[in-house]
Amino acid sequence: MNLKTEPNGKVMVVMVREERLDAHNSNELKVEMNRLFESGTRDLLVDLKEVRFIDSSGLGVLVSGFKNASTHQGSIKLCGLQTQVKSMFELTRLHRVFDIFQTIDEALESY
Amino acid sequence: MKNHIDIKITVPNQTRYLSLIGRIGENMVHELDSFPGDREALGQHINMVLTEALVNAIKHANSTDPNTEVQISINADDKELVIRVYDNGQGFDLDLVPGCNCPDPLEEQGRGIYIIRSLMDSVVYRKANGGNVLEMKKALG
């Protein structure tokens, strides 16, 4: 899976550079988020702007990250959701769980 | 003009084929010239349904054995789209899978069947061909 992780101020930004986030590749995002929280990251922003398709496994990995953030007294926010990805969040009501922003800049301003 | 498509695919029991199968279903929808609705949205939904059904067969029905195979059939005419995903595993009880109601948002698993049921008109899991089949239908008319 193509992930790019870089800090922006106190926020760690993970860019998911894949068209799909599904049962085949989503565990790699879970491992990366776990690694970041275990190594002291508090605030994580996941940029999904290149993701056109997300399945239940991809959604589950983000929920796992949400719970992991809570365990570490941190936070996880999302940005760049394409229309279909956003509709899956709405179908599963996860749009009520996550703080979701249109752009990375809007998300960074929220901290 | 008659609009009837019949596709049969066999793939190894591995998640690396999810993208391929999903794209085949999505591209097929774009060929349904007589469908009066939003073909873009329907194509994305069929991509989703095929992905979820294939994952279900791989992880839950075929016990993640990469040496087995999953068979998929996609049939469409002017009135209906029918997707069948066959597995050779122990199977599962569809009625015991959380799927009628939206799962707890903080659960990490259990959304696949709910998503399929939300996007299709009927979903049945039954014995077939010595194994099982997940049969999903969507009206096109």
Side-chain angles (χ1 to χ4, degrees):
Chain A
M1 172 176 237
N2 191 348
L3 297 172
K4 185 180 179 189
T5 302
E6 62 182 24
N8 187 310
K10 70 182 182 94
V11 180
M12 191 64 78
V13 181
V14 177
M15 281 168 270
V16 181
R17 295 180 149 177
E18 297 282 347
E19 185 180 317
R20 288 174 64 98
L21 183 57
D22 63 19
H24 183 58
N25 62 9
S26 57
N27 195 55
E28 293 176 53
L29 175 60
K30 184 175 183 175
V31 169
E32 175 67 353
M33 291 192 297
N34 285 348
R35 184 188 70 79
L36 290 167
F37 284 123
E38 292 294 330
S39 62
T41 294
R42 295 280 297 273
D43 297 311
L44 194 63
L45 173 60
V46 181
D47 186 351
L48 295 170
K49 73 177 178 191
E50 293 186 28
V51 178
R52 178 181 161 270
F53 179 97
I54 188 166
D55 73 353
S56 63
S57 300
L59 293 169
V61 160
L62 292 171
V63 171
S64 167
F66 179 85
K67 291 158 78 172
N68 207 345
S70 299
T71 303
H72 290 85
Q73 287 81 47
S75 73
I76 182 168
K77 298 184 181 185
L78 309 177
C79 68
L81 274 63
Q82 294 191 29
T83 305
Q84 190 196 352
V85 172
K86 196 175 175 186
S87 72
M88 284 302 120
F89 274 79
E90 289 168 352
L91 180 65
T92 55
R93 299 178 197 164
L94 285 173
H95 62 302
R96 299 177 186 172
V97 171
F98 289 95
D99 284 333
I100 299 173
F101 298 86
Q102 278 200 313
T103 66
I104 190 168
D105 289 338
E106 285 179 29
L108 290 170
E109 283 174 16
S110 72
Y111 288 96
Chain B
M1 190 169 65
K2 196 173 180 182
N3 201 353
H4 189 188
I5 298 173
D6 185 0
I7 302 172
K8 287 185 170 56
I9 314 162
T10 302
V11 291
N13 195 47
Q14 298 166 29
T15 55
R16 61 175 294 191
Y17 297 101
L18 295 177
S19 175
L20 171 67
I21 300 304
R23 277 185 284 122
I24 288 172
E26 184 166 350
N27 289 341
M28 184 218 66
V29 167
H30 289 282
E31 302 301 322
L32 299 175
D33 295 332
S34 60
F35 178 62
D38 183 345
R39 269 189 274 173
E40 187 78 24
L42 180 63
Q44 291 170 351
H45 290 171
I46 296 309
N47 189 340
M48 176 66 66
V49 165
L50 279 164
T51 298
E52 297 293 350
L54 201 52
V55 169
N56 198 65
I58 292 169
K59 291 194 170 176
H60 303 301
N62 282 346
S63 304
T64 65
D65 179 354
N67 295 315
T68 57
E69 293 175 331
V70 182
Q71 291 177 312
I72 301 135
S73 79
I74 310 170
N75 298 281
D77 58 25
D78 292 338
K79 294 180 179 173
E80 191 174 52
L81 173 66
V82 182
I83 297 171
R84 295 182 182 91
V85 177
Y86 297 85
D87 68 75
N88 298 308
Q90 295 290 316
F92 60 93
D93 187 343
L94 191 62
D95 292 333
L96 297 180
V97 177
C100 294
N101 300 309
C102 187
D104 181 339
L106 292 181
E107 285 294 327
E108 293 176 33
Q109 298 184 340
R111 292 182 179 83
I113 295 294
Y114 166 75
I115 289 173
I116 293 172
R117 279 181 159 150
S118 298
L119 299 178
M120 301 298 278
D121 295 328
S122 80
V123 182
V124 175
Y125 188 69
R126 57 178 168 77
K127 297 281 182 194
N129 302 348
N132 310 284
V133 61
L134 183 64
E135 183 177 81
M136 300 155 285
K137 296 182 178 179
K138 178 88 175 173
L140 298 176

